[in-house]
Amino acid sequence: MQFSKKQKQNGFTIVELLIVIVVIGILAAITIVAFNGVQRRAHNTAVQADLSQNAKKLEQYKVLNGTYPTTVFEFRDAKLGFTLDSYRLAVYCQKGGVDGSEYALVVNTAGNESYSMTAGTGRQPYTQVFDNTANICGRVGLASPDTSAWLRGNSGWAVSGWVVY
């Protein structure tokens, strides 16, 4: 009587497959966390660049018109630019001052950092709450502003009729 040789079966064991699945899961988690960090930094960088460009546009508007924008129509004429997906909240404040006018832009980024930009101080971190425009303007040095408006609020762009480009 002759015994048949056992044939070697090819394939993976369940343990080997589980190890591969766990390793793939760990790599996916690391990739997602890294991507979120990159995305947050990109939003913050875009907002900081927008603030610098918008400050220049507001200064140009003031040179041409003698004051910073005070109405929706004047604000549109200033043609400020915003990276749409990078902002959660944005406020514009304007106040007449001894030198003609002051302004502030206060923003909260999609990366959850906040900045203010004023004519006198440039870009600064903003660490206060976003409750209402009058309070926000006061916290950055423009108490009792002549104009204050949400450029973006919880319901999206063009809050209070202020359209941004």
Side-chain angles (χ1 to χ4, degrees):
M1 198 169 194
Q2 191 174 8
F3 292 101
S4 64
K5 285 186 173 178
K6 223 179 190 182
Q7 292 184 351
K8 186 176 178 182
Q9 293 182 349
N10 294 329
F12 298 104
T13 66
I14 290 180
V15 173
E16 291 170 331
L17 290 174
L18 287 174
I19 289 172
V20 169
I21 290 170
V22 167
V23 168
I24 290 172
I26 290 170
L27 291 174
I30 290 170
T31 302
I32 290 169
V33 169
F35 176 73
N36 287 339
V38 168
Q39 192 175 32
R40 180 182 48 78
R41 285 191 304 274
H43 286 307
N44 293 340
T45 301
V47 168
Q48 291 176 22
D50 288 349
L51 283 173
S52 297
Q53 288 298 318
N54 289 334
K56 291 174 187 170
K57 289 180 180 181
L58 286 168
E59 293 301 329
Q60 288 174 338
Y61 185 89
K62 183 181 177 192
V63 167
L64 294 172
N65 299 287
T67 185
Y68 296 111
T70 59
T71 68
V72 174
F73 302 107
E74 291 174 357
F75 192 79
R76 289 178 185 160
D77 288 344
K79 292 190 170 105
L80 303 187
F82 297 88
T83 305
L84 297 181
D85 293 336
S86 294
Y87 289 80
R88 288 182 36 198
L89 302 166
V91 173
Y92 172 72
C93 312
Q94 183 277 338
K95 181 178 180 178
V98 290
D99 64 345
S101 184
E102 301 174 61
Y103 79 89
L105 286 169
V106 186
V107 298
N108 179 259
T109 72
N112 208 24
E113 291 188 22
S114 299
Y115 302 98
S116 67
M117 173 74 81
T118 64
T121 62
R123 187 180 68 237
Q124 301 288 323
Y126 179 79
T127 57
Q128 305 295 319
V129 296
F130 278 77
D131 47 4
N132 65 58
T133 60
N135 289 345
I136 294 168
C137 295
R139 290 184 194 118
V140 295
L142 273 71
S144 303
D146 299 329
T147 303
S148 65
W150 287 99
L151 303 179
R152 180 180 174 110
N154 291 326
S155 60
W157 290 100
V159 176
S160 303
W162 287 70
V163 176
V164 292
Y165 297 95

